[in-house]
């Protein structure tokens, strides 16, 4: 009945399920590695199919008509998805490289250090290539989409000589020039950036939760003379902290969208008034032009003042989070570091000084 919602629900379920149940990177060097890698790849293909199916359903409404145009958009979307997933795997492999490199330094193994140096070059080249490809795919998608949308807006604006009627509208107005240029740009730039960012964040969060659950261990608490164990307590603490900062930012910045929209609208109105006064001045100067310009300028400055206050309030949360996030992580890890120093502080097989 609701194919798009069903596909999105399956997508949301498969992402954490795949990362938790088929963590092939945790099975490296074991007989289960190949099976986990195959299952991970299968689920990845299913995820891509679900996402493309949703986008294809939306294509008839939001994308250009024509099978060739839709096919080009779907190819670009597929390229972006592959780049996001591969970039995440490269980042994870770079984390493992840090472990292997410092283990080689500790063991003073020159051959292993040289091997890790070669591995770093390959990983860096792969990461750069993926980043460049992702930029090409994202900006090409935005460019094609904006071209199609702008042509449609211009066609609607020119139809029935609508552009001639703007000058006869009094009071509140929507600046057509601004809508065609800026709004069309925002309407095509922001959704692509949002979708790519959300997909990357979702996959990164799933991988982060999986790894943190494995390495974080459990926290033993003494309760009423007994011991209570909290498995994966670092994951739980991370979710609580992230939810707290998110809800705080949402509460403080709830008016941000409205403030920005009003600021942009007053800027557009100010440009419109200046252009209109300039046009009329070449024919017959008007006595009220100075007052009209002053009122439009006052409205712009007032909206900028509102925007400044909104940014000041959100900075309280963003800057506080920047300062506290690393410290809170250390504090949360402190109980297990104090009680079990070796498994957390030593990457390789336990050396003599750690026993």
């Amino acid at each position: 009945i609701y194919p798009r919602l069903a596909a999105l629900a399956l997508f949301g379920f498969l992402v954490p399920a795949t990362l938790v149940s088929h963590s092939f990177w945790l099975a490296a060097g074991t007989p289960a590695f190949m099976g986990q890698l195959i299952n991970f790849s299968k689920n990845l293909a299913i995820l891509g199919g679900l996402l493309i199916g949703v986008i294809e359903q939306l294509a008839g409404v939001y994308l250009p008509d024509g099978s060739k145009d839709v096919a080009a958009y779907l190819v670009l979307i597929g390229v972006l998805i592959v780049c996001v997933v591969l970039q995440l795997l490269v980042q994870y492999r770079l984390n493992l490289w840090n472990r292997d490199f410092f283990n080689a330094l500790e063991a003073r193994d020159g051959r292993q250090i040289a091997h890790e140096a070669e591995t770093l070059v390959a990983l860096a080249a792969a990461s750069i290539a993926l980043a460049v490809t992702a930029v090409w795919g994202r900006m090409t998608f935005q460019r094609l989409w904006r071209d199609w949308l702008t042509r449609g807006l211009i066609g609607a604006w020119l139809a029935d000589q609508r552009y001639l009627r703007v000058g006869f509208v009094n009071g509140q107005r929507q600046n057509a020039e601004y809508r065609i240029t800026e709004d069309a740009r925002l309407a095509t730039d922001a959704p692509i950036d949002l979708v790519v960012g959300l997909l990357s964040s979702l996959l990164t969060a799933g991988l982060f939760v999986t790894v943190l659950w494995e390495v974080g261990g459990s926290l033993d608490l003494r309760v009423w003379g007994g011991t209570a164990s909290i498995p994966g307590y670092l994951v739980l603490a991370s979710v609580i902290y992230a939810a707290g900062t998110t809800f705080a930012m949402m509460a403080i910045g709830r008016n941000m969208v409205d403030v920005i929209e009003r600021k942009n609208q007053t800027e557009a109105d100010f440009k419109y008034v200046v252009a209109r006064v300039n046009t009329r001045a070449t024919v017959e100067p008007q006595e009220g032009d100075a007052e009209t310009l002053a009122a439009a300028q006052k409205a712009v400055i007032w909206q900028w003042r509102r925007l400044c206050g909104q940014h000041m309030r959100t900075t309280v949360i963003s800057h506080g989070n920047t300062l506290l996030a690393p410290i809170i992580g250390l504090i949360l890890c402190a109980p297990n570091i104090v009680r079990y120093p070796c498994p957390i502080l030593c990457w390789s097989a336990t050396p003599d000084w750690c026993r």
Side-chain angles (χ1 to χ4, degrees):
I1 301 176
Y2 300 104
R4 281 175 284 185
L5 292 178
L8 288 175
L10 287 173
F11 184 89
F13 167 77
L14 275 177
V15 169
T18 301
L19 293 172
V20 172
S21 301
H22 303 299
S23 307
F24 64 90
W25 51 89
L26 298 177
T30 66
F33 173 78
M34 187 55 66
Q36 290 287 66
L37 179 60
I38 292 174
N39 289 326
F40 182 90
S41 302
K42 288 180 180 178
N43 283 15
L44 190 63
I46 295 174
L47 288 171
L50 289 173
L51 195 58
I52 290 177
V54 172
I55 295 171
E56 192 172 9
Q57 289 286 329
L58 297 173
V61 180
Y62 300 106
L63 295 181
D65 297 329
S67 58
K68 292 183 178 180
D69 293 334
V70 172
Y73 280 82
L74 294 179
V75 169
L76 289 173
I77 292 170
V79 169
L80 290 174
I81 294 173
V82 171
C83 286
V84 168
V85 174
L86 292 181
Q87 189 70 276
L88 178 63
L89 295 178
V90 170
Q91 290 298 323
Y92 178 79
R93 183 62 183 85
L94 282 172
N95 290 333
L96 296 181
W97 178 89
N98 280 279
R99 179 198 64 183
D100 297 338
F101 179 74
F102 284 105
N103 284 342
L105 285 179
E106 180 184 348
R108 295 178 173 83
D109 188 344
R111 182 174 299 178
Q112 184 65 25
I113 292 175
H115 172 72
E116 295 301 329
E118 296 173 356
T119 303
L120 177 61
V121 172
L123 290 174
S127 181
I128 292 172
L130 289 171
V132 172
T133 304
V135 170
W136 170 83
R138 175 174 55 83
M139 297 195 71
T140 301
F141 194 111
Q142 292 169 336
R143 173 171 51 82
L144 295 177
W145 195 8
R146 183 181 179 183
D147 176 62
W148 168 76
L149 181 60
T150 303
R151 281 189 280 109
L153 291 174
I154 291 177
W157 187 48
L158 295 177
D160 299 327
Q161 296 184 336
R162 292 190 178 99
Y163 61 95
L164 295 177
R165 306 175 190 175
V166 177
F168 301 99
V169 176
N170 296 321
Q172 183 67 27
R173 57 191 172 275
Q174 300 295 323
N175 191 297
E177 296 86 350
Y178 181 84
R179 295 300 183 189
I180 292 176
T181 56
E182 288 300 309
D183 283 9
R185 179 183 64 83
L186 294 175
T188 52
D189 285 0
I192 302 302
D193 294 336
L194 177 64
V195 170
V196 173
L198 283 177
L199 178 61
S200 178
S201 299
L202 184 63
L203 294 176
T204 302
L207 182 59
F208 169 77
V209 168
T210 303
V211 174
L212 193 61
W213 186 281
E214 294 290 335
V215 304
S218 60
L219 178 65
D220 296 329
L221 301 175
R222 293 181 180 179
V223 181
W224 296 331
T227 301
S229 180
I230 304 178
Y233 80 100
L234 288 179
V235 174
L236 179 62
S238 299
V239 172
I240 293 175
Y241 177 78
T245 54
T246 299
F247 284 120
M249 183 63 78
M250 290 174 62
I252 292 178
R254 62 185 181 277
N255 296 323
M256 179 67 82
V257 174
D258 179 68
V259 170
I260 293 176
E261 195 277 334
R262 290 180 182 275
K263 189 269 296 182
N264 291 339
Q265 184 60 51
T266 54
E267 292 274 13
D269 289 343
F270 185 43
K271 294 177 183 178
Y272 176 83
V273 169
V274 171
R276 191 172 185 180
V277 169
N278 182 53
T279 302
R280 291 191 306 181
T282 60
V283 180
E284 183 179 356
Q286 302 291 326
E287 295 182 358
D289 287 346
E291 296 178 359
T292 303
L293 290 171
Q297 180 184 359
K298 183 178 179 180
V300 171
I301 298 303
W302 169 249
Q303 294 301 330
W304 270 100
R305 182 179 178 181
R306 291 185 63 205
L307 183 62
C308 176
Q310 193 66 48
H311 277 298
M312 290 170 63
R313 289 188 288 271
T314 56
T315 300
V316 173
I317 302 299
S318 61
H319 189 70
N321 178 60
T322 301
L323 293 175
L324 295 177
I327 300 173
I328 290 178
L330 294 175
I331 293 174
L332 291 174
C333 292
N336 276 353
I337 293 178
V338 173
R339 292 182 58 191
Y340 311 107
C342 293
I344 293 183
L345 295 180
C346 300
W347 286 102
S348 59
T350 306
D352 294 336
W353 61 268
C354 193
R355 292 192 177 122

